[in-house]
Amino acid sequence: MTPADDEREREGLLGVFMQFRAALARAVGRIVHSHDVEDIVQEAFVRCYEASRTTDIRHPRSFLLTTARNLALNHVVRADNKLADRVASFDESSVPMYAPPLEADAEEQEQFLLLCRAVNELPVQCRRAFILKKVYGLSRKEIAEYLDITESTVQKHVAKGLLLCTEYLEKSGYPQAASPRQRRADSAE
């Protein structure tokens, strides 16, 4: 391939990117928060452009989409790791032992912290599937492709995550976390 051919291929990549940019942004927007979309789309183009200098890209649209989705999913995993680090380094001694009366905000924050702890206790693969589904709203198919597992395994991980988180919250003194079936059984006694 001549340098002129290389330049035409990169210009073709730029044209595909400009034409396909909105669709890329939508695809990335389903995975990450809206304020991260533009950075990830731009990073995807830069990486594809750099790759086009050394590799023949036969399907630039697919290559751009795959690169953008992988970058977005990597961003989610990094965010998951940051959350786990924050929860692990949380110093409970800095939290007062009492809360002002009628402070719903304080109770909600406590419940959220407990939920974070519960999620942090999940097995790694289960935690990843659970967060990708419940926090980022990815479909079972998207999660299965990203984690390289079957859709039924994703469903089992998410269900297991829900069950273990509910049990954790119940053990921590939040009976409202009990399932409706359990609440009915308790009230019948």
Side-chain angles (χ1 to χ4, degrees), residues 10-159:
R10 284 192 288 281
E11 286 176 6
L13 180 66
L14 177 60
V16 168
F17 174 74
M18 295 307 288
Q19 183 179 30
F20 188 54
R21 183 183 185 113
L24 277 176
R26 281 191 305 275
V28 169
R30 286 183 283 163
I31 300 171
V32 300
H33 291 290
S34 59
H35 60 273
D36 295 323
V37 170
E38 190 60 32
D39 290 339
I40 292 172
V41 168
Q42 289 177 8
E43 177 70 18
F45 174 73
V46 168
R47 290 197 182 191
C48 291
Y49 187 82
E50 288 174 353
S52 73
R53 299 176 86 188
T54 58
T55 306
D56 179 30
I57 299 174
R58 295 181 186 196
H59 306 285
R61 182 177 170 156
S62 297
F63 191 67
L64 279 164
L65 179 61
T66 300
T67 302
R69 289 186 72 214
N70 286 341
L71 286 171
L73 291 169
N74 288 341
H75 181 79
V76 169
V77 170
R78 282 193 306 275
D80 174 36
N81 291 338
K82 286 179 187 176
L83 173 65
D85 290 345
R86 287 184 190 148
V87 170
S89 67
F90 179 72
D91 180 16
E92 291 181 49
S93 65
S94 66
V95 177
M97 294 303 290
Y98 65 95
L102 303 174
E103 287 292 331
D105 257 0
E107 187 172 334
E108 287 175 11
Q109 288 177 1
E110 183 180 333
Q111 287 175 339
F112 179 72
L113 180 60
L114 276 172
L115 180 59
C116 290
R117 288 181 185 156
V119 170
N120 195 44
E121 294 291 318
L122 296 174
V124 175
Q125 196 75 334
C126 179
R127 180 175 60 232
R128 288 180 179 157
F130 185 81
I131 289 173
L132 290 171
K133 179 68 176 169
K134 295 299 181 182
V135 176
Y136 293 97
L138 270 61
S139 70
R140 281 191 305 218
K141 183 177 181 182
E142 291 170 323
I143 296 168
E145 288 174 5
Y146 179 70
L147 297 178
D148 196 27
I149 57 178
T150 65
E151 288 185 49
S152 66
T153 302
V154 170
Q155 184 176 7
K156 289 174 186 172
H157 281 315
V158 173

Side-chain angles (χ1 to χ4, degrees), residues 166 170 175-184:
T166 300
E170 287 174 355
Q176 64 268 31
S179 68
R181 181 181 299 154
Q182 180 64 41
R183 285 192 294 254
R184 282 193 299 272

